[in-house]
């Protein structure tokens, strides 16, 4: 067995979700806040385009880096909405943004290279870095600072081995959105230390209250040259099962990743990519409708949590997660989540695998009724603790 692979942490979150599923199957009422994907169906015009592609016989291998038409549509989309100029040759489409990130770390890292990861973090980052032979260095962001890292906290973590920094704004699991001035600070840091920034912008279209948060690579030429922009279709267009994500970045990295992908997946699924073209060309009204629904649920859920005794909560400004603090109750996150599920049927994800053992992650990619009833039950549970 390969020691790196056999050393990968199995997902602890899976344990709680499978228990929730078992309870539901046994006829118990379950109120889940565990979803990591939108609860909406993929919009019809996107499905129709993929169905048409199948009818038209688009069933053969795609070019390794994705259909030229799709890469052109991505380049146009990044130019229109993100102020980013990329040649389609700088774009690689992969089987989901997760696969994109995996390719990036495989191509970027040499053994012993360090990657700065703001913590709390999306739980797949450290595992990917480890598989690629790198070393994760967590940069703690405190609840007090709205869970944002600063130039000072990054400076304290940088070493001569630092190769890259992962930035995820809006973030999973917190919903943190970095504002322009904060991004400028991080950009200055990356340029000074010659660090590549992997900017995971998968939730970029889910920002609330009209907050402005530009794409990292748009902050200037020097920043653009050292940034890999990552995005995908899963979250914005509710296309998680389609498995399509992409990167745009410097040509040498793109070339290495193209070669790697040509020997692994060969390329993304051909007919699915026609759906993605329709997503980009069909306008953003469908995205806005989903975003408005998330925004309404966020406000309600945040209000409820704020009114619970000894629960702290940073107001999320994007994505569809919250990471309330439950440390005052004296239980670690796994025990808390397990007891809450057993006692009330409310399923939440423990914060531990995200680097936040005094917190739980609540996803509001679920119905208002689920949120209402779930919060009533959690409130009752806390009273009994
Ligand atoms: C969901 C998610 C992804 C990847 O999604 P794909 O379905 O693989 O495109 C990447 N980063 C974060 C932070 C996510 O939450």
């Amino acid at each position: 067995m390969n020691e790196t692979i056999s050393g990968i942490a199995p997902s602890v979150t899976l344990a709680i979700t499978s228990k929730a599923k078992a309870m539901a199957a046994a006829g118990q009422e379950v109120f889940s806040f565990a979803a990591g994907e939108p609860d909406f169906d993929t919009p019809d015009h996107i499905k129709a385009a993929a169905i048409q592609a199948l009818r038209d016989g688009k069933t053969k291998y795609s070019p390794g880096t994705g259909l030229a038409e799709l890469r052109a549509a991505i380049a146009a989309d990044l130019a229109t909405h993100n102020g980013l100029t990329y040649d389609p040759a700088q774009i690689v489409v992969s089987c989901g943004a997760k696969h994109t990130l995996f390719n990036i770390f495989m191509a970027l890292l040499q053994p012993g290279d360090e990657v700065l990861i703001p913590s709390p973090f999306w739980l797949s980052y450290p595992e990917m870095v480890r598989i690629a032979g790198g070393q994760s260095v967590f940069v703690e962001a405190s609840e007090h600072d709205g869970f944002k890292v600063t130039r000072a906290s990054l400076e304290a973590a940088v070493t001569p081995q630092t190769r890259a920094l992962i930035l995820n704004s809006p973030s999973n699991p917190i919903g943190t959105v970095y504002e322009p001035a904060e991004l400028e600070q991080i950009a200055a840091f990356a340029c000074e230390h010659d660090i590549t920034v992997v900017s995971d912008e998968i939730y970029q279209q889910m920002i609330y209250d009209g907050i402005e948060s530009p794409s990292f690579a748009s902050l200037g030429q020097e920043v653009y040259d050292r940034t890999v922009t990552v995005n995908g279709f899963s979250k914005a267009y509710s296309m998680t099962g389609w498995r399509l994500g992409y990167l745009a970045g410097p040509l040498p990295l793109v070339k290495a990743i193209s070669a790697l992908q040509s020997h692994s997946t060969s390329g993304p699924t051909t007919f699915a990519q026609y759906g993605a073209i329709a997503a980009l060309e069909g306008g953003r009204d469908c995205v806005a409708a989903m975003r408005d629904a998330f925004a309404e649920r966020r406000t309600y859920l945040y209000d409820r949590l704020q009114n619970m005794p000894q629960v702290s909560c940073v107001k999320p400004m994007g994505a569809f997660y919250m990471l309330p603090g439950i440390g005052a109750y004296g239980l670690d996150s796994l025990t808390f989540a397990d007891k809450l599920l057993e006692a009330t049927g409310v399923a939440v994800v423990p914060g531990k695998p995200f680097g936040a053992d005094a917190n739980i992650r609540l996803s509001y990619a679920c119905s208002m009724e689920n949120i209402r009833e779930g919060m009533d039950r959690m409130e009752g549970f806390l009273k009994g603790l």
Side-chain angles (χ1 to χ4, degrees):
M1 283 276 275
N2 176 289
E3 274 179 31
T4 306
I5 304 301
S6 56
I8 298 172
S11 170
V12 251
T13 60
L14 221 61
I16 212 110
T17 41
S18 46
K19 188 164 176 176
K21 275 186 192 142
M23 285 169 66
Q28 268 179 275
E29 268 193 307
V30 169
F31 301 87
S32 181
F33 292 83
E37 58 187 343
D39 53 322
F40 304 103
D41 196 3
T42 303
D44 278 337
H45 67 283
I46 298 173
K47 288 189 194 174
I51 292 166
Q52 190 59 46
L54 277 170
R55 293 218 167 94
D56 293 344
K58 309 289 190 193
T59 56
K60 299 298 184 345
Y61 286 131
S62 143
T65 56
L67 296 169
E69 260 176 285
L70 175 55
R71 282 181 291 124
I74 291 168
D77 191 72
L78 289 172
T80 307
H81 297 286
N82 302 67
L84 293 172
T85 309
Y86 285 107
D87 189 273
Q90 290 175 273
I91 292 168
V92 181
V93 183
S94 299
C95 305
K98 191 182 254 183
H99 181 221
T100 298
L101 288 158
F102 190 89
N103 283 342
I104 291 169
F105 296 120
M106 291 300 279
L108 193 64
L109 301 180
Q110 299 259 48
D113 279 354
E114 294 177 357
V115 179
L116 299 178
I117 304 181
S119 175
F121 49 85
W122 185 45
L123 45 80
S124 290
Y125 296 140
E127 302 303 340
M128 290 182 184
V129 167
R130 193 208 318 226
I131 292 166
Q135 188 77 41
S136 296
V137 174
F138 298 107
V139 184
E140 297 300 329
S142 73
E143 198 163 325
H144 180 257
D145 295 326
F147 285 123
K148 288 179 187 177
V149 293
T150 59
R151 176 151 192 188
S153 58
L154 291 168
E155 293 285 359
V158 75
T159 77
Q161 281 71 51
T162 307
R163 181 73 186 86
L165 160 69
I166 304 176
L167 194 64
N168 178 215
S169 172
S171 86
N172 177 2
I174 316 158
T176 312
V177 176
Y178 284 84
E179 298 195 31
E182 297 161 337
L183 293 173
E184 293 283 359
Q185 291 285 307
I186 296 171
F189 164 82
C191 291
E192 185 184 321
H193 295 280
D194 192 20
I195 291 168
T196 297
V197 176
V198 178
S199 186
D200 180 351
E201 301 180 4
I202 191 97
Y203 295 104
Q204 247 257 340
Q205 293 195 53
M206 283 153 191
I207 298 181
Y208 309 119
D209 302 344
I211 285 195
E212 203 202 325
S213 183
S215 265
F216 194 73
S218 73
L219 296 181
Q221 187 63 39
E222 212 189 329
V223 183
Y224 174 92
D225 288 340
R226 63 178 64 262
T227 301
V228 196
T229 302
V230 177
N231 211 322
F233 298 89
S234 287
K235 309 293 163 57
Y237 299 95
S238 207
M239 292 171 70
T240 45
W242 295 61
R243 310 311 302 127
L244 288 173
Y246 57 87
L247 67 83
L251 265 182
L253 185 68
V254 163
K255 285 197 175 128
I257 289 171
S258 309
L260 170 65
Q261 181 154 293
S262 76
H263 292 295
S264 53
T265 62
S266 289
T269 302
T270 303
F271 50 85
Q273 293 180 73
Y274 287 92
I277 294 169
L280 294 178
E281 292 179 348
R284 292 185 163 187
D285 287 354
C286 58
V287 182
M290 293 190 264
R291 181 177 54 230
D292 290 349
F294 286 133
E296 189 190 339
R297 299 169 188 175
R298 173 200 66 148
T299 302
Y300 177 78
L301 180 57
Y302 178 68
D303 282 349
R304 290 298 304 263
L305 288 167
Q306 274 221 305
N307 287 315
M308 291 188 196
Q310 302 189 74
V311 171
S312 56
C313 193
V314 170
K315 188 172 192 178
M317 302 313 279
F320 41 72
Y321 310 100
M322 286 188 207
L323 195 74
I326 44 81
Y329 287 94
L331 301 173
D332 63 82
S333 63
L334 287 165
T335 311
F336 184 95
D338 195 55
K339 279 184 188 284
L340 177 65
L341 178 61
E342 289 258 322
T344 65
V346 173
V348 302
V349 178
K352 188 171 187 205
F354 302 94
D357 203 17
N359 300 70
I360 51 174
R361 190 191 75 169
L362 301 184
S363 157
Y364 47 96
C366 58
S367 71
M368 261 318 234
E369 299 75 69
N370 187 81
I371 297 174
R372 253 183 230 114
E373 180 66 23
M375 286 303 100
D376 286 350
R377 287 173 177 235
M378 184 164 139
E379 206 158 47
F381 169 77
L382 292 178
K383 282 192 185 120
L385 273 186

